[in-house]
Amino acid sequence: MFKIIGILIVIGSVAGGYVLSHGELMALWQPFEVLIICGAALGAFFIANPFSTFTHVLKQIPTVLFGSKFNNDFFMDLLGLLYELLNKSRRDGMMAIEADLEDPSGSAIFTRYPTILRDHHLTEFIADYLRLMSSGNMAPHELESLFDMEIETLAEELEHPFHAVTKVADGLPGFGIVAAVLGIVITMKDLGGPAEQLGAHVAAALVGTFLGILFAYGFVGPMSQAMEHNVQEELNAYECVKACLVASLGGMPPALSVEFGRKALYAHSRPSFLELEQHIRSR
């Protein structure tokens, strides 16, 4: 909702300032200029990126507009899940959680945390590393190195879509100039026509430049930055898992292990010590 408010502020400020300066809104209605700019930008996006990037960007749009799931409640559930798994493995042995890891959707522990279970990649990530820990053949620094390698690869994968959107934002002013140049071409073709007609053609050309710049810096550029923030929030969840499991493999009890994970979280989404303790007890 906060992003939608930002979009409305951009539109309201630009259109309001224009109208208050005695401009006519209908002069900005140039659908063919929009077609040139947006169509060319979309085509360039398709040329530069695989189709999977396009689908990933589409999936990111609702998250950007309505907020990321990686908030205080999500991380409390994540830490609660890790505590339960580590506590059970410490109490009954690593083999006791083997069934939970093999079938998380049928696990009594995982199903108590549906928010985490719906994130299939994160669930698989947790299960894979707990399986490695159950082998008993890895030192904490070896496990940490493996974590770092996978998280680095995941970061590159998650960052590609917002880099692609940033490139589109960088190109939009250029496509606005393309639309403006085409408008000038039309103007020059009708140079002998009425002055009113020439003025309308020039106005349409200038609107093309205006729209290219507005789309770039008012909407698409900020959208790519919001996507980047969401990627960092998601990666923070994996860093949290890493901190918990490395601490546990190093001999820390479950309560201290999840504290390591809690400290790895960003301050704005990190539950307090008492909040986490109460959440775990309530489960």
Side-chain angles (χ1 to χ4, degrees), residues 68 108 114 117 165 192 233 283:
S68 170
L117 192 58
V165 174
E233 294 283 354
R283 294 284 178 163

Side-chain angles (χ1 to χ4, degrees), residues 237-258:
Y238 291 89
E239 292 287 352
C240 172
V241 174
K242 166 191 163 184
C244 287
L245 298 190
V246 170
S248 178
L249 189 61
M252 295 290 179
L256 281 180
S257 295
V258 296

